Amino acid sequence: MNPVVFCDFDGTITREETFVELLRTFTPEMSEKLIPRMYDLTLSLKDGVRRLLESVESRHYPEMLARMKSAPLREGFLEFLDDLKTRTIPLIVVTGGVEDFVRATLGASIRDVHSVYGLKVNTEGPFLRVFSEWESGTELVSKPRILEVAGKKMCANPPVLIGDSVTDLEAALACPVVFARDRLARYLTDRKKAYVPFEDFTEIRKAFTEMFPVDV
Ligand SMILES: [Mg+2]
């Protein structure tokens, strides 16, 4: 049976942590204050991300989208997306950042993405306002909740997770197949959860085809 692929965005589909860079550019003072506290866990991701985004003036939003348009993609991503399309395997983007940023970066290729789950932003007031349908106790976007809801719609297709960071961890522990790099790989090693290490999507394509051979 064909799997369904859940893929993180920042630092996974993109080569860099684009979201953090954007915050540092458009809300530098708050970023300097809050980002270190999020890293040392004295401020939750949920409060931190909301306070940071809501300190950005709405008039900067078009410029943020313009920057995201030129964010470099990790090697082999578009080819992987193309493979999945040929095989009618859905790819779902799950981001702890803003859905519009994913759409801006992927441009026309977004038509080959099944769906995007993340934060929604309202720009009508002087400052951005953030909305999430996926809040949990500690996170603004709970990836395990998204997997549960989106996964149910996909019936029994086994979920595959691709990610790089702490926000992917809980979801990764619930998935039978995980591709991991950077911090996520280290966390999974510590927890003795099996995963396939990767640095680019060329490696993922190769391993993916071996794991899920094309039906003949
Ligand atoms: Mg990431």
Side-chain angles (χ1 to χ4, degrees):
M1 179 180 286
N2 270 341
V4 47
V5 179
F6 291 91
C7 190
D8 170 52
F9 183 66
D10 279 294
T12 299
I13 293 177
T14 61
R15 277 212 305 261
E16 316 284 340
E17 286 287 342
T18 32
F19 189 47
V20 174
E21 280 170 26
L22 269 194
L23 292 172
R24 287 204 166 112
T25 304
F26 290 97
T27 180
E29 282 165 30
M30 283 290 264
S31 294
E32 204 179 317
K33 232 168 54 183
L34 300 187
I35 291 175
R37 292 186 48 207
M38 287 158 65
Y39 282 136
D40 71 20
L41 307 179
T42 55
L43 177 68
S44 72
L45 281 174
K46 183 176 178 171
D47 293 340
V49 171
R50 183 183 291 280
R51 281 172 65 185
L52 283 165
L53 274 173
E54 295 194 340
S55 68
V56 176
E57 289 181 62
S58 295
R59 65 189 174 94
H60 292 312
Y61 200 59
E63 205 183 325
M64 293 175 109
L65 293 175
R67 293 224 184 182
M68 290 308 292
K69 259 187 202 156
S70 55
L73 299 180
R74 192 167 292 279
E75 207 185 310
F77 175 73
L78 293 177
E79 292 81 357
F80 180 58
L81 191 59
D82 218 44
D83 284 359
L84 295 180
K85 181 189 174 185
T86 309
R87 297 183 55 188
T88 64
I89 295 173
L91 180 126
I92 296 175
V93 177
V94 283
T95 176
V98 176
E99 290 176 0
D100 285 346
F101 294 170
V102 176
R103 296 193 186 97
T105 301
L106 292 182
S109 302
I110 198 77
R111 62 167 177 254
D112 297 328
V113 169
H114 180 278
S115 38
V116 178
Y117 291 96
L119 300 173
K120 291 182 167 52
V121 162
N122 181 304
T123 58
E124 280 165 18
F127 291 90
L128 300 183
R129 292 201 56 208
V130 177
F131 298 90
S132 173
E133 294 165 46
W134 308 101
E135 283 192 41
S136 69
T138 51
E139 288 181 303
L140 213 45
V141 176
S142 162
K143 294 189 181 183
R145 279 195 58 204
I146 295 170
L147 257 69
E148 206 183 293
V149 172
K152 268 187 194 142
K153 285 190 207 154
M154 305 283 167
C155 304
N157 302 42
V160 172
L161 187 109
I162 307 173
D164 76 326
S165 191
V166 62
T167 57
D168 303 306
L169 178 59
E170 289 305 317
L173 293 172
C175 280
V177 177
V178 179
F179 292 91
R181 57 177 294 277
D182 203 55
R183 278 161 294 168
L184 179 63
R186 295 201 289 276
Y187 294 131
L188 293 175
T189 303
D190 290 346
R191 283 163 180 76
K192 301 191 167 43
K193 159 83 178 172
Y195 64 91
V196 183
F198 77 95
E199 272 312 312
D200 61 49
F201 281 89
T202 313
E203 295 162 349
I204 294 183
R205 282 173 75 196
K206 191 166 170 287
F208 194 90
T209 316
E210 284 163 17
M211 285 175 166
F212 304 101
V214 181
D215 296 332
V216 281

XYZ file of all heavy atoms in Angstrom, residues 42-98:
452
model
N 13.070 28.312 28.684
C 12.422 29.099 29.738
C 11.182 29.817 29.183
O 10.433 30.432 29.917
C 13.380 30.137 30.374
O 13.922 30.956 29.340
C 14.518 29.445 31.120
N 10.984 29.731 27.851
C 9.774 30.276 27.221
C 9.262 29.206 26.265
O 10.048 28.651 25.490
C 10.131 31.560 26.447
C 9.002 32.228 25.668
C 7.954 32.816 26.603
C 9.573 33.320 24.762
N 7.932 28.897 26.324
C 7.423 27.839 25.446
C 7.418 28.324 23.999
O 7.307 29.518 23.718
C 6.014 27.427 25.867
O 5.097 28.449 25.536
N 7.526 27.364 23.071
C 7.446 27.686 21.645
C 6.131 28.381 21.342
O 6.067 29.311 20.546
C 7.500 26.390 20.826
C 8.856 25.747 20.616
C 8.682 24.405 19.914
C 9.731 26.664 19.763
N 5.095 27.925 22.035
C 3.755 28.448 21.793
C 3.701 29.956 22.072
O 3.275 30.741 21.230
C 2.790 27.705 22.709
C 1.347 28.062 22.534
C 0.531 27.165 23.447
C -0.931 27.480 23.372
N -1.713 26.473 24.077
N 4.151 30.360 23.258
C 4.131 31.786 23.612
C 5.147 32.571 22.801
O 4.883 33.685 22.368
C 4.428 31.976 25.107
C 3.305 31.423 25.967
O 2.191 31.263 25.420
O 3.548 31.145 27.151
N 6.325 31.970 22.618
C 7.410 32.665 21.922
C 7.048 32.995 20.483
O 7.158 34.146 20.055
N 6.584 31.980 19.735
C 6.276 32.188 18.318
C 5.144 33.209 18.165
O 5.207 34.116 17.333
C 5.923 30.856 17.623
C 5.389 31.093 16.226
C 7.147 29.943 17.572
N 4.126 33.100 19.014
C 3.020 34.049 18.919
C 3.488 35.478 19.224
O 3.206 36.408 18.468
C 1.869 33.658 19.857
C 0.677 34.608 19.723
C -0.440 34.289 20.694
N -1.123 33.040 20.402
C -2.060 32.904 19.460
N -2.391 33.925 18.700
N -2.648 31.741 19.279
N 4.233 35.644 20.318
C 4.671 37.002 20.687
C 5.578 37.599 19.613
O 5.481 38.786 19.302
C 5.396 36.980 22.041
C 4.407 36.917 23.208
C 5.099 36.691 24.524
N 5.973 37.791 24.907
C 6.765 37.768 25.989
N 6.773 36.701 26.765
N 7.509 38.792 26.292
N 6.426 36.763 19.030
C 7.328 37.258 17.988
C 6.549 37.684 16.742
O 6.699 38.796 16.260
C 8.359 36.190 17.625
C 9.487 36.036 18.642
C 10.241 34.744 18.413
C 10.442 37.225 18.562
N 5.689 36.794 16.241
C 4.954 37.132 15.015
C 4.054 38.346 15.232
O 3.936 39.208 14.368
C 4.113 35.939 14.549
C 4.832 34.923 13.668
C 3.939 33.719 13.431
C 5.238 35.531 12.316
N 3.435 38.422 16.422
C 2.489 39.516 16.656
C 3.193 40.837 16.995
O 2.540 41.857 17.195
C 1.453 39.090 17.709
C 0.600 37.940 17.161
C -0.664 37.623 17.936
O -0.760 38.011 19.116
O -1.568 36.986 17.344
N 4.524 40.814 17.029
C 5.262 42.073 17.193
C 5.752 42.602 15.843
O 6.430 43.628 15.776
C 6.440 41.890 18.157
O 7.418 41.048 17.575
N 5.402 41.892 14.750
C 5.784 42.343 13.406
C 4.674 43.228 12.838
O 3.498 42.872 12.911
C 6.003 41.133 12.457
C 6.293 41.616 11.033
C 7.132 40.246 12.962
N 5.048 44.368 12.284
C 4.042 45.251 11.688
C 3.498 44.632 10.398
O 4.260 44.116 9.585
C 4.667 46.612 11.377
C 4.968 47.425 12.623
C 5.566 48.777 12.264
O 4.883 49.567 11.586
O 6.721 49.007 12.657
N 2.173 44.721 10.237
C 1.517 44.105 9.070
C 2.069 44.636 7.752
O 2.115 43.916 6.756
C 0.007 44.370 9.106
O -0.559 43.715 10.213
N 2.513 45.897 7.761
C 3.005 46.476 6.492
C 4.252 45.733 5.977
O 4.612 45.855 4.817
C 3.283 47.975 6.644
C 4.405 48.287 7.606
C 4.521 49.778 7.905
N 5.518 49.985 8.951
C 6.792 50.255 8.705
N 7.230 50.349 7.462
N 7.637 50.422 9.710
N 4.918 44.960 6.857
C 6.100 44.209 6.410
C 5.756 42.867 5.769
O 6.633 42.197 5.236
C 7.041 43.918 7.594
C 7.702 45.142 8.145
N 8.308 46.070 7.341
C 7.849 45.576 9.421
C 8.800 47.041 8.094
N 8.532 46.766 9.358
N 4.480 42.462 5.853
C 4.117 41.103 5.424
C 4.464 40.821 3.947
O 5.050 39.773 3.650
C 2.640 40.828 5.709
C 2.295 39.365 5.764
C 2.896 38.501 6.679
C 1.350 38.826 4.892
C 2.576 37.154 6.727
C 1.018 37.478 4.938
C 1.631 36.649 5.855
O 1.305 35.317 5.901
N 4.142 41.776 3.022
C 4.498 41.506 1.620
C 6.005 41.284 1.445
O 6.429 40.434 0.663
C 4.051 42.779 0.877
C 2.997 43.370 1.745
C 3.393 43.043 3.163
N 6.803 42.028 2.211
C 8.256 41.880 2.108
C 8.708 40.512 2.646
O 9.638 39.889 2.131
C 8.910 42.995 2.914
C 10.295 43.355 2.455
C 10.911 44.418 3.366
O 10.161 45.306 3.859
O 12.121 44.329 3.608
N 8.021 40.053 3.703
C 8.338 38.722 4.239
C 8.063 37.656 3.182
O 8.869 36.749 2.958
C 7.488 38.432 5.490
C 7.826 39.300 6.677
S 6.669 38.988 8.045
C 7.734 38.141 9.205
N 6.909 37.783 2.519
C 6.552 36.804 1.481
C 7.563 36.865 0.334
O 7.967 35.821 -0.197
C 5.139 37.075 0.954
C 4.007 36.839 1.963
C 2.666 37.259 1.365
C 3.942 35.372 2.389
N 7.975 38.084 -0.009
C 8.952 38.231 -1.098
C 10.257 37.526 -0.738
O 10.872 36.866 -1.578
C 9.189 39.709 -1.383
N 10.682 37.646 0.519
C 11.919 36.955 0.936
C 11.753 35.447 0.856
O 12.666 34.725 0.473
C 12.254 37.304 2.372
C 12.630 38.730 2.488
C 13.822 38.864 3.359
N 14.083 40.270 3.521
C 15.090 40.747 4.208
N 15.914 39.914 4.799
N 15.271 42.027 4.304
N 10.575 34.966 1.279
C 10.344 33.520 1.268
C 10.371 32.972 -0.156
O 10.739 31.830 -0.377
C 9.013 33.173 1.942
C 9.010 33.381 3.441
S 10.389 32.572 4.298
C 9.969 30.843 4.066
N 9.964 33.803 -1.121
C 9.976 33.371 -2.528
C 11.364 32.946 -2.962
O 11.521 32.082 -3.818
C 9.501 34.519 -3.424
C 8.074 34.368 -3.839
C 7.659 35.409 -4.844
C 6.137 35.516 -4.769
N 5.626 36.774 -5.221
N 12.393 33.588 -2.388
C 13.745 33.260 -2.850
C 14.493 32.351 -1.868
O 15.701 32.179 -1.977
C 14.534 34.546 -3.107
O 14.518 35.339 -1.946
N 13.784 31.765 -0.904
C 14.449 30.847 0.037
C 14.919 29.596 -0.714
O 14.123 28.964 -1.413
C 13.489 30.454 1.155
N 16.212 29.236 -0.608
C 16.697 28.074 -1.351
C 16.146 26.743 -0.821
O 16.031 26.549 0.386
C 18.223 28.136 -1.185
C 18.499 29.138 -0.125
C 17.268 29.925 0.146
N 15.787 25.864 -1.754
C 15.254 24.540 -1.399
C 16.399 23.550 -1.227
O 17.442 23.676 -1.864
C 14.341 24.028 -2.511
C 13.108 24.862 -2.833
C 12.321 24.205 -3.956
C 12.225 25.010 -1.596
N 16.177 22.564 -0.386
C 17.152 21.490 -0.211
C 17.227 20.684 -1.516
O 16.210 20.459 -2.179
C 16.725 20.601 0.964
C 17.801 19.632 1.433
C 17.415 19.041 2.781
N 17.461 20.081 3.819
C 18.574 20.486 4.422
N 19.706 19.904 4.152
N 18.533 21.445 5.318
N 18.436 20.268 -1.849
C 18.654 19.584 -3.117
C 17.748 18.365 -3.290
O 17.579 17.575 -2.360
C 20.115 19.139 -3.187
C 20.633 19.019 -4.599
C 22.050 18.466 -4.582
O 22.883 18.997 -3.827
O 22.283 17.496 -5.322
N 17.184 18.245 -4.470
C 16.398 17.063 -4.820
C 14.939 17.122 -4.404
O 14.183 16.200 -4.704
N 14.524 18.217 -3.742
C 13.131 18.244 -3.263
C 12.134 18.208 -4.417
O 11.177 17.437 -4.400
C 12.850 19.454 -2.358
C 11.388 19.525 -1.977
C 10.866 18.622 -1.060
C 10.526 20.434 -2.580
C 9.505 18.634 -0.738
C 9.172 20.444 -2.262
C 8.666 19.548 -1.336
N 12.359 19.046 -5.437
C 11.381 19.117 -6.527
C 11.305 17.790 -7.291
O 10.221 17.365 -7.703
C 11.709 20.279 -7.465
C 11.537 21.664 -6.817
C 11.957 22.774 -7.782
C 10.106 21.891 -6.322
N 12.450 17.114 -7.417
C 12.465 15.813 -8.091
C 11.699 14.778 -7.257
O 10.973 13.942 -7.803
C 13.909 15.342 -8.305
C 14.711 16.172 -9.297
C 15.286 17.471 -8.711
O 15.017 17.777 -7.521
O 15.990 18.189 -9.449
N 11.867 14.855 -5.929
C 11.137 13.938 -5.033
C 9.627 14.180 -5.163
O 8.839 13.237 -5.287
C 11.602 14.171 -3.589
C 10.930 13.306 -2.558
C 10.972 11.923 -2.629
C 10.257 13.876 -1.480
C 10.355 11.122 -1.671
C 9.642 13.093 -0.514
C 9.688 11.707 -0.612
N 9.252 15.461 -5.165
C 7.834 15.818 -5.302
C 7.279 15.269 -6.616
O 6.155 14.766 -6.681
C 7.714 17.351 -5.250
C 6.327 17.955 -5.104
C 5.644 17.480 -3.835
C 6.422 19.486 -5.099
N 8.088 15.351 -7.662
C 7.707 14.851 -8.974
C 7.506 13.334 -8.959
O 6.535 12.819 -9.512
C 8.825 15.224 -9.953
C 8.263 15.609 -11.286
O 7.267 16.353 -11.304
O 8.813 15.138 -12.304
N 8.428 12.618 -8.289
C 8.305 11.154 -8.153
C 6.987 10.798 -7.479
O 6.276 9.895 -7.895
C 9.403 10.591 -7.232
C 10.749 10.521 -7.909
O 10.828 10.898 -9.101
O 11.717 10.097 -7.247
N 6.693 11.513 -6.375
C 5.492 11.212 -5.611
C 4.247 11.455 -6.459
O 3.301 10.676 -6.432
C 5.436 12.061 -4.334
C 6.536 11.801 -3.302
C 6.348 12.720 -2.105
C 6.545 10.349 -2.836
N 4.285 12.536 -7.234
C 3.141 12.864 -8.087
C 2.895 11.736 -9.093
O 1.775 11.271 -9.270
C 3.444 14.173 -8.822
C 2.329 14.643 -9.720
C 2.830 15.817 -10.549
C 1.810 16.243 -11.571
N 2.370 17.308 -12.427
N 3.978 11.263 -9.714
C 3.877 10.174 -10.685
C 3.243 8.943 -10.049
O 2.470 8.236 -10.683
C 5.291 9.799 -11.206
O 5.917 10.999 -11.622
C 5.242 8.823 -12.342
N 3.595 8.718 -8.764
C 3.086 7.527 -8.080
C 1.789 7.791 -7.308
O 1.329 6.920 -6.575
C 4.163 6.994 -7.126
C 5.412 6.542 -7.880
C 6.416 5.958 -6.940
N 5.860 4.878 -6.149
C 6.481 4.279 -5.135
N 7.690 4.685 -4.794
N 5.914 3.310 -4.463
N 1.233 8.983 -7.461
C 0.037 9.428 -6.716
C 0.150 9.193 -5.203
O -0.800 8.771 -4.544
C -1.286 8.819 -7.261
O -1.252 7.407 -7.078
C -1.529 9.178 -8.700
N 1.333 9.491 -4.661
C 1.535 9.453 -3.211
C 1.410 10.885 -2.694
O 2.107 11.778 -3.186
C 2.928 8.887 -2.857
C 3.024 7.420 -3.300
C 3.232 9.040 -1.365
C 4.404 6.814 -3.151
N 0.501 11.149 -1.737
C 0.342 12.532 -1.275
C 1.492 13.004 -0.398
O 1.989 12.259 0.442
C -0.962 12.496 -0.472
C -1.176 11.071 -0.118
C -0.451 10.224 -1.114
N 1.924 14.260 -0.611
C 2.882 14.901 0.281
C 2.161 16.041 1.004
O 1.569 16.916 0.383
C 4.086 15.459 -0.466
C 5.107 16.132 0.483
C 6.500 15.553 0.290
C 5.160 17.634 0.320
N 2.188 15.971 2.347
C 1.528 16.963 3.177
C 2.609 17.751 3.915
O 3.467 17.159 4.579
C 0.593 16.262 4.189
C -0.518 15.525 3.415
C 0.004 17.263 5.185
C -1.434 14.693 4.278
N 2.592 19.079 3.778
C 3.584 19.901 4.479
C 3.019 20.279 5.849
O 1.905 20.793 5.953
C 3.937 21.170 3.677
C 4.924 22.038 4.457
C 4.525 20.802 2.313
N 3.776 19.977 6.899
C 3.398 20.386 8.258
C 4.470 21.350 8.771
O 5.624 20.989 8.915
C 3.251 19.185 9.227
C 1.960 18.453 8.989
C 4.409 18.214 9.110
N 4.072 22.597 9.016
C 5.050 23.596 9.426
C 4.658 24.236 10.760
O 3.481 24.480 11.003
C 5.209 24.705 8.350
O 6.120 25.693 8.855
C 3.889 25.395 8.009
N 5.651 24.488 11.598
C 5.420 25.239 12.827
C 5.357 26.731 12.525
O 5.053 27.539 13.384
N 5.633 27.095 11.271
C 5.584 28.490 10.827
C 4.287 28.782 10.096
O 3.251 28.170 10.355
N 4.367 29.712 9.175
C 3.174 30.272 8.531
C 2.894 29.572 7.197
O 3.797 29.415 6.377
C 3.393 31.797 8.311
C 2.235 32.425 7.566
C 3.642 32.489 9.649
